[in-house]
PDB file of all heavy atoms in Angstrom:
ATOM      1  N   MET Y1490      -5.488-155.041 -70.616  1.00 52.00           N
ATOM      2  CA  MET Y1490      -6.275-154.045 -71.316  1.00 52.00           C
ATOM      3  C   MET Y1490      -5.442-153.506 -72.468  1.00 52.00           C
ATOM      4  O   MET Y1490      -4.312-153.103 -72.315  1.00 52.00           O
ATOM      5  CB  MET Y1490      -6.638-152.918 -70.334  1.00 52.00           C
ATOM      6  CG  MET Y1490      -7.352-151.783 -71.005  1.00 52.00           C
ATOM      7  SD  MET Y1490      -8.113-150.630 -69.874  1.00 52.00           S
ATOM      8  CE  MET Y1490      -6.749-149.594 -69.436  1.00 52.00           C
ATOM      9  N   LYS Y1493      -5.628-148.074 -77.727  1.00 65.00           N
ATOM     10  CA  LYS Y1493      -5.087-147.558 -78.975  1.00 65.00           C
ATOM     11  C   LYS Y1493      -4.105-146.438 -78.655  1.00 65.00           C
ATOM     12  O   LYS Y1493      -4.378-145.606 -77.799  1.00 65.00           O
ATOM     13  CB  LYS Y1493      -6.216-147.010 -79.844  1.00 65.00           C
ATOM     14  CG  LYS Y1493      -7.186-148.057 -80.309  1.00 65.00           C
ATOM     15  CD  LYS Y1493      -8.269-147.423 -81.142  1.00 65.00           C
ATOM     16  CE  LYS Y1493      -9.307-148.438 -81.528  1.00 65.00           C
ATOM     17  NZ  LYS Y1493     -10.426-147.830 -82.241  1.00 65.00           N
ATOM     18  N   PRO Y1494      -2.959-146.409 -79.317  1.00 60.00           N
ATOM     19  CA  PRO Y1494      -2.018-145.317 -79.081  1.00 60.00           C
ATOM     20  C   PRO Y1494      -2.619-143.992 -79.538  1.00 60.00           C
ATOM     21  O   PRO Y1494      -3.406-143.937 -80.476  1.00 60.00           O
ATOM     22  CB  PRO Y1494      -0.795-145.661 -79.925  1.00 60.00           C
ATOM     23  CG  PRO Y1494      -1.045-146.990 -80.520  1.00 60.00           C
ATOM     24  CD  PRO Y1494      -2.466-147.379 -80.270  1.00 60.00           C
ATOM     25  N   THR Y1495      -2.271-142.935 -78.843  1.00 64.00           N
ATOM     26  CA  THR Y1495      -2.707-141.603 -79.224  1.00 64.00           C
ATOM     27  C   THR Y1495      -2.020-141.212 -80.525  1.00 64.00           C
ATOM     28  O   THR Y1495      -0.826-141.446 -80.689  1.00 64.00           O
ATOM     29  CB  THR Y1495      -2.327-140.594 -78.114  1.00 64.00           C
ATOM     30  OG1 THR Y1495      -2.906-141.049 -76.890  1.00 64.00           O
ATOM     31  CG2 THR Y1495      -2.818-139.208 -78.422  1.00 64.00           C
ATOM     32  N   GLY Y1497       0.121-139.550 -83.162  1.00 65.00           N
ATOM     33  CA  GLY Y1497       1.317-138.738 -82.990  1.00 65.00           C
ATOM     34  C   GLY Y1497       2.282-139.295 -81.960  1.00 65.00           C
ATOM     35  O   GLY Y1497       3.419-138.869 -81.886  1.00 65.00           O
ATOM     36  N   LEU Y1498       1.809-140.242 -81.141  1.00 68.00           N
ATOM     37  CA  LEU Y1498       2.685-140.852 -80.146  1.00 68.00           C
ATOM     38  C   LEU Y1498       2.940-142.297 -80.540  1.00 68.00           C
ATOM     39  O   LEU Y1498       2.019-143.036 -80.873  1.00 68.00           O
ATOM     40  CB  LEU Y1498       2.045-140.819 -78.758  1.00 68.00           C
ATOM     41  CG  LEU Y1498       1.783-139.443 -78.170  1.00 68.00           C
ATOM     42  CD1 LEU Y1498       1.102-139.582 -76.819  1.00 68.00           C
ATOM     43  CD2 LEU Y1498       3.085-138.671 -78.010  1.00 68.00           C
ATOM     44  N   ASN Y1499       4.178-142.695 -80.516  1.00 77.00           N
ATOM     45  CA  ASN Y1499       4.538-144.068 -80.843  1.00 77.00           C
ATOM     46  C   ASN Y1499       5.012-144.773 -79.583  1.00 77.00           C
ATOM     47  O   ASN Y1499       6.009-144.358 -78.986  1.00 77.00           O
ATOM     48  CB  ASN Y1499       5.646-144.098 -81.898  1.00 77.00           C
ATOM     49  CG  ASN Y1499       5.208-143.486 -83.201  1.00 77.00           C
ATOM     50  OD1 ASN Y1499       4.082-143.704 -83.631  1.00 77.00           O
ATOM     51  ND2 ASN Y1499       6.066-142.709 -83.818  1.00 77.00           N
ATOM     52  N   VAL Y1501       6.938-147.139 -77.148  1.00 84.00           N
ATOM     53  CA  VAL Y1501       8.306-147.634 -77.228  1.00 84.00           C
ATOM     54  C   VAL Y1501       8.436-148.804 -76.258  1.00 84.00           C
ATOM     55  O   VAL Y1501       8.037-148.717 -75.102  1.00 84.00           O
ATOM     56  CB  VAL Y1501       9.315-146.523 -76.831  1.00 84.00           C
ATOM     57  CG1 VAL Y1501      10.731-147.063 -76.814  1.00 84.00           C
ATOM     58  CG2 VAL Y1501       9.191-145.341 -77.761  1.00 84.00           C
ATOM     59  N   LEU Y1503      10.669-150.822 -73.986  1.00 87.00           N
ATOM     60  CA  LEU Y1503      11.946-150.634 -73.304  1.00 87.00           C
ATOM     61  C   LEU Y1503      12.529-151.981 -72.908  1.00 87.00           C
ATOM     62  O   LEU Y1503      11.832-152.831 -72.367  1.00 87.00           O
ATOM     63  CB  LEU Y1503      11.752-149.786 -72.044  1.00 87.00           C
ATOM     64  CG  LEU Y1503      11.249-148.370 -72.261  1.00 87.00           C
ATOM     65  CD1 LEU Y1503      10.986-147.696 -70.929  1.00 87.00           C
ATOM     66  CD2 LEU Y1503      12.254-147.576 -73.069  1.00 87.00           C
ATOM     67  N   PRO Y1506      17.921-153.789 -68.759  1.00 94.00           N
ATOM     68  CA  PRO Y1506      19.148-154.589 -68.658  1.00 94.00           C
ATOM     69  C   PRO Y1506      19.062-155.608 -67.524  1.00 94.00           C
ATOM     70  O   PRO Y1506      18.415-155.367 -66.501  1.00 94.00           O
ATOM     71  CB  PRO Y1506      20.234-153.559 -68.361  1.00 94.00           C
ATOM     72  CG  PRO Y1506      19.666-152.251 -68.796  1.00 94.00           C
ATOM     73  CD  PRO Y1506      18.184-152.361 -68.600  1.00 94.00           C
ATOM     74  N   HIS Y1508      21.811-156.727 -66.042  1.00 96.00           N
ATOM     75  CA  HIS Y1508      23.097-156.683 -65.352  1.00 96.00           C
ATOM     76  C   HIS Y1508      23.182-155.569 -64.306  1.00 96.00           C
ATOM     77  O   HIS Y1508      24.244-155.314 -63.759  1.00 96.00           O
ATOM     78  CB  HIS Y1508      24.242-156.524 -66.366  1.00 96.00           C
ATOM     79  CG  HIS Y1508      24.130-155.255 -67.168  1.00 96.00           C
ATOM     80  ND1 HIS Y1508      23.375-155.198 -68.310  1.00 96.00           N
ATOM     81  CD2 HIS Y1508      24.637-154.016 -66.971  1.00 96.00           C
ATOM     82  CE1 HIS Y1508      23.444-153.959 -68.803  1.00 96.00           C
ATOM     83  NE2 HIS Y1508      24.197-153.234 -68.009  1.00 96.00           N
ATOM     84  N   ALA Y1514      19.113-150.649 -59.845  1.00 97.00           N
ATOM     85  CA  ALA Y1514      17.695-150.905 -60.078  1.00 97.00           C
ATOM     86  C   ALA Y1514      16.832-150.047 -59.156  1.00 97.00           C
ATOM     87  O   ALA Y1514      15.820-149.472 -59.588  1.00 97.00           O
ATOM     88  CB  ALA Y1514      17.385-152.388 -59.880  1.00 97.00           C
ATOM     89  N   ALA Y1516      17.673-147.149 -57.788  1.00 98.00           N
ATOM     90  CA  ALA Y1516      17.802-145.751 -58.209  1.00 98.00           C
ATOM     91  C   ALA Y1516      16.900-145.459 -59.411  1.00 98.00           C
ATOM     92  O   ALA Y1516      16.217-144.423 -59.447  1.00 98.00           O
ATOM     93  CB  ALA Y1516      19.261-145.429 -58.539  1.00 98.00           C
ATOM     94  N   VAL Y1517      16.863-146.359 -60.370  1.00 96.00           N
ATOM     95  CA  VAL Y1517      16.009-146.178 -61.545  1.00 96.00           C
ATOM     96  C   VAL Y1517      14.544-146.232 -61.122  1.00 96.00           C
ATOM     97  O   VAL Y1517      13.726-145.414 -61.564  1.00 96.00           O
ATOM     98  CB  VAL Y1517      16.324-147.230 -62.630  1.00 96.00           C
ATOM     99  CG1 VAL Y1517      15.305-147.187 -63.755  1.00 96.00           C
ATOM    100  CG2 VAL Y1517      17.732-147.023 -63.161  1.00 96.00           C
ATOM    101  N   PHE Y1518      14.198-147.160 -60.270  1.00 97.00           N
ATOM    102  CA  PHE Y1518      12.832-147.280 -59.770  1.00 97.00           C
ATOM    103  C   PHE Y1518      12.400-145.993 -59.078  1.00 97.00           C
ATOM    104  O   PHE Y1518      11.296-145.486 -59.316  1.00 97.00           O
ATOM    105  CB  PHE Y1518      12.738-148.471 -58.808  1.00 97.00           C
ATOM    106  CG  PHE Y1518      11.368-148.665 -58.237  1.00 97.00           C
ATOM    107  CD1 PHE Y1518      10.417-149.386 -58.938  1.00 97.00           C
ATOM    108  CD2 PHE Y1518      11.036-148.120 -57.012  1.00 97.00           C
ATOM    109  CE1 PHE Y1518       9.142-149.561 -58.410  1.00 97.00           C
ATOM    110  CE2 PHE Y1518       9.771-148.288 -56.480  1.00 97.00           C
ATOM    111  CZ  PHE Y1518       8.817-149.011 -57.180  1.00 97.00           C
ATOM    112  N   ILE Y1521      11.845-143.182 -61.650  1.00 96.00           N
ATOM    113  CA  ILE Y1521      10.572-143.335 -62.358  1.00 96.00           C
ATOM    114  C   ILE Y1521       9.406-142.996 -61.440  1.00 96.00           C
ATOM    115  O   ILE Y1521       8.440-142.338 -61.851  1.00 96.00           O
ATOM    116  CB  ILE Y1521      10.446-144.763 -62.932  1.00 96.00           C
ATOM    117  CG1 ILE Y1521      11.481-144.954 -64.043  1.00 96.00           C
ATOM    118  CG2 ILE Y1521       9.036-145.039 -63.437  1.00 96.00           C
ATOM    119  CD1 ILE Y1521      11.637-146.387 -64.504  1.00 96.00           C
ATOM    120  N   ASN Y1522       9.479-143.410 -60.205  1.00 97.00           N
ATOM    121  CA  ASN Y1522       8.418-143.107 -59.243  1.00 97.00           C
ATOM    122  C   ASN Y1522       8.301-141.598 -59.018  1.00 97.00           C
ATOM    123  O   ASN Y1522       7.185-141.052 -58.982  1.00 97.00           O
ATOM    124  CB  ASN Y1522       8.688-143.841 -57.929  1.00 97.00           C
ATOM    125  CG  ASN Y1522       7.466-143.923 -57.066  1.00 97.00           C
ATOM    126  OD1 ASN Y1522       6.380-144.225 -57.547  1.00 97.00           O
ATOM    127  ND2 ASN Y1522       7.637-143.645 -55.786  1.00 97.00           N
ATOM    128  N   ASP Y1523       9.431-140.915 -58.882  1.00 98.00           N
ATOM    129  CA  ASP Y1523       9.413-139.455 -58.724  1.00 98.00           C
ATOM    130  C   ASP Y1523       8.856-138.773 -59.968  1.00 98.00           C
ATOM    131  O   ASP Y1523       8.074-137.815 -59.874  1.00 98.00           O
ATOM    132  CB  ASP Y1523      10.817-138.918 -58.427  1.00 98.00           C
ATOM    133  CG  ASP Y1523      11.322-139.309 -57.048  1.00 98.00           C
ATOM    134  OD1 ASP Y1523      10.511-139.763 -56.211  1.00 98.00           O
ATOM    135  OD2 ASP Y1523      12.543-139.167 -56.814  1.00 98.00           O
ATOM    136  N   LEU Y1524       9.239-139.258 -61.139  1.00 97.00           N
ATOM    137  CA  LEU Y1524       8.723-138.718 -62.394  1.00 97.00           C
ATOM    138  C   LEU Y1524       7.208-138.894 -62.458  1.00 97.00           C
ATOM    139  O   LEU Y1524       6.463-137.978 -62.816  1.00 97.00           O
ATOM    140  CB  LEU Y1524       9.404-139.405 -63.575  1.00 97.00           C
ATOM    141  CG  LEU Y1524       8.951-138.989 -64.968  1.00 97.00           C
ATOM    142  CD1 LEU Y1524       9.207-137.501 -65.211  1.00 97.00           C
ATOM    143  CD2 LEU Y1524       9.666-139.826 -66.013  1.00 97.00           C
ATOM    144  N   ILE Y1528       4.446-135.908 -62.771  1.00 96.00           N
ATOM    145  CA  ILE Y1528       3.469-135.876 -63.868  1.00 96.00           C
ATOM    146  C   ILE Y1528       2.062-135.842 -63.290  1.00 96.00           C
ATOM    147  O   ILE Y1528       1.214-135.065 -63.730  1.00 96.00           O
ATOM    148  CB  ILE Y1528       3.655-137.085 -64.812  1.00 96.00           C
ATOM    149  CG1 ILE Y1528       4.980-136.947 -65.572  1.00 96.00           C
ATOM    150  CG2 ILE Y1528       2.481-137.207 -65.783  1.00 96.00           C
ATOM    151  CD1 ILE Y1528       5.376-138.199 -66.331  1.00 96.00           C
ATOM    152  N   GLN Y1537      -7.013-138.263 -65.488  1.00 94.00           N
ATOM    153  CA  GLN Y1537      -8.280-138.885 -65.105  1.00 94.00           C
ATOM    154  C   GLN Y1537      -9.299-138.799 -66.230  1.00 94.00           C
ATOM    155  O   GLN Y1537     -10.011-139.771 -66.516  1.00 94.00           O
ATOM    156  CB  GLN Y1537      -8.819-138.233 -63.835  1.00 94.00           C
ATOM    157  CG  GLN Y1537      -7.999-138.566 -62.614  1.00 94.00           C
ATOM    158  CD  GLN Y1537      -8.410-137.750 -61.395  1.00 94.00           C
ATOM    159  OE1 GLN Y1537      -9.053-136.718 -61.512  1.00 94.00           O
ATOM    160  NE2 GLN Y1537      -8.039-138.234 -60.223  1.00 94.00           N
ATOM    161  N   ASP Y1538      -9.387-137.648 -66.882  1.00 93.00           N
ATOM    162  CA  ASP Y1538     -10.315-137.491 -68.004  1.00 93.00           C
ATOM    163  C   ASP Y1538      -9.962-138.448 -69.146  1.00 93.00           C
ATOM    164  O   ASP Y1538     -10.847-139.075 -69.731  1.00 93.00           O
ATOM    165  CB  ASP Y1538     -10.312-136.048 -68.521  1.00 93.00           C
ATOM    166  CG  ASP Y1538     -10.983-135.081 -67.563  1.00 93.00           C
ATOM    167  OD1 ASP Y1538     -11.736-135.527 -66.667  1.00 93.00           O
ATOM    168  OD2 ASP Y1538     -10.747-133.862 -67.706  1.00 93.00           O
ATOM    169  N   ALA Y1539      -8.675-138.555 -69.463  1.00 91.00           N
ATOM    170  CA  ALA Y1539      -8.251-139.451 -70.543  1.00 91.00           C
ATOM    171  C   ALA Y1539      -8.554-140.903 -70.188  1.00 91.00           C
ATOM    172  O   ALA Y1539      -9.034-141.668 -71.031  1.00 91.00           O
ATOM    173  CB  ALA Y1539      -6.762-139.265 -70.825  1.00 91.00           C
ATOM    174  N   ARG Y1541     -10.876-141.973 -68.152  1.00 92.00           N
ATOM    175  CA  ARG Y1541     -12.328-142.109 -68.187  1.00 92.00           C
ATOM    176  C   ARG Y1541     -12.813-142.311 -69.629  1.00 92.00           C
ATOM    177  O   ARG Y1541     -13.643-143.177 -69.900  1.00 92.00           O
ATOM    178  CB  ARG Y1541     -12.990-140.882 -67.565  1.00 92.00           C
ATOM    179  CG  ARG Y1541     -14.472-141.029 -67.327  1.00 92.00           C
ATOM    180  CD  ARG Y1541     -15.065-139.819 -66.593  1.00 92.00           C
ATOM    181  NE  ARG Y1541     -14.481-139.628 -65.279  1.00 92.00           N
ATOM    182  CZ  ARG Y1541     -13.650-138.621 -64.941  1.00 92.00           C
ATOM    183  NH1 ARG Y1541     -13.320-137.707 -65.832  1.00 92.00           N
ATOM    184  NH2 ARG Y1541     -13.162-138.515 -63.734  1.00 92.00           N
ATOM    185  N   GLN Y1543     -11.138-143.554 -72.084  1.00 88.00           N
ATOM    186  CA  GLN Y1543     -10.707-144.874 -72.563  1.00 88.00           C
ATOM    187  C   GLN Y1543     -11.636-145.981 -72.067  1.00 88.00           C
ATOM    188  O   GLN Y1543     -11.804-146.993 -72.729  1.00 88.00           O
ATOM    189  CB  GLN Y1543      -9.284-145.182 -72.100  1.00 88.00           C
ATOM    190  CG  GLN Y1543      -8.220-144.415 -72.828  1.00 88.00           C
ATOM    191  CD  GLN Y1543      -6.825-144.766 -72.330  1.00 88.00           C
ATOM    192  OE1 GLN Y1543      -6.652-145.626 -71.476  1.00 88.00           O
ATOM    193  NE2 GLN Y1543      -5.821-144.097 -72.867  1.00 88.00           N
ATOM    194  N   LEU Y1544     -12.218-145.784 -70.894  1.00 88.00           N
ATOM    195  CA  LEU Y1544     -13.061-146.814 -70.312  1.00 88.00           C
ATOM    196  C   LEU Y1544     -14.506-146.764 -70.796  1.00 88.00           C
ATOM    197  O   LEU Y1544     -15.247-147.719 -70.621  1.00 88.00           O
ATOM    198  CB  LEU Y1544     -13.033-146.715 -68.784  1.00 88.00           C
ATOM    199  CG  LEU Y1544     -11.671-146.986 -68.150  1.00 88.00           C
ATOM    200  CD1 LEU Y1544     -11.720-146.718 -66.658  1.00 88.00           C
ATOM    201  CD2 LEU Y1544     -11.232-148.417 -68.417  1.00 88.00           C
ATOM    202  N   LEU Y1545     -14.903-145.641 -71.395  1.00 85.00           N
ATOM    203  CA  LEU Y1545     -16.265-145.509 -71.881  1.00 85.00           C
ATOM    204  C   LEU Y1545     -16.445-146.292 -73.175  1.00 85.00           C
ATOM    205  O   LEU Y1545     -15.505-146.433 -73.954  1.00 85.00           O
ATOM    206  CB  LEU Y1545     -16.595-144.033 -72.143  1.00 85.00           C
ATOM    207  CG  LEU Y1545     -16.687-143.146 -70.915  1.00 85.00           C
ATOM    208  CD1 LEU Y1545     -16.889-141.694 -71.333  1.00 85.00           C
ATOM    209  CD2 LEU Y1545     -17.822-143.584 -70.010  1.00 85.00           C
ATOM    210  N   GLU Y1551     -23.023-140.178 -76.942  1.00 59.00           N
ATOM    211  CA  GLU Y1551     -24.471-140.074 -76.889  1.00 59.00           C
ATOM    212  C   GLU Y1551     -24.931-140.501 -75.505  1.00 59.00           C
ATOM    213  O   GLU Y1551     -24.418-141.440 -74.924  1.00 59.00           O
ATOM    214  CB  GLU Y1551     -25.103-140.979 -77.939  1.00 59.00           C
ATOM    215  CG  GLU Y1551     -24.671-140.652 -79.349  1.00 59.00           C
ATOM    216  CD  GLU Y1551     -25.193-141.675 -80.343  1.00 59.00           C
ATOM    217  OE1 GLU Y1551     -26.063-142.484 -79.964  1.00 59.00           O
ATOM    218  OE2 GLU Y1551     -24.730-141.664 -81.476  1.00 59.00           O
TER     219      GLU Y1551
END
Side-chain angles (χ1 to χ4, degrees):
M1490 175 167 82
K1493 295 179 184 175
T1495 304
L1498 297 178
N1499 297 319
V1501 176
L1503 297 175
H1508 61 274
V1517 171
F1518 180 85
I1521 292 169
N1522 198 44
D1523 291 346
L1524 178 61
I1528 292 169
Q1537 290 171 341
D1538 289 343
R1541 190 175 299 109
Q1543 286 180 3
L1544 296 174
L1545 292 175
E1551 301 173 12

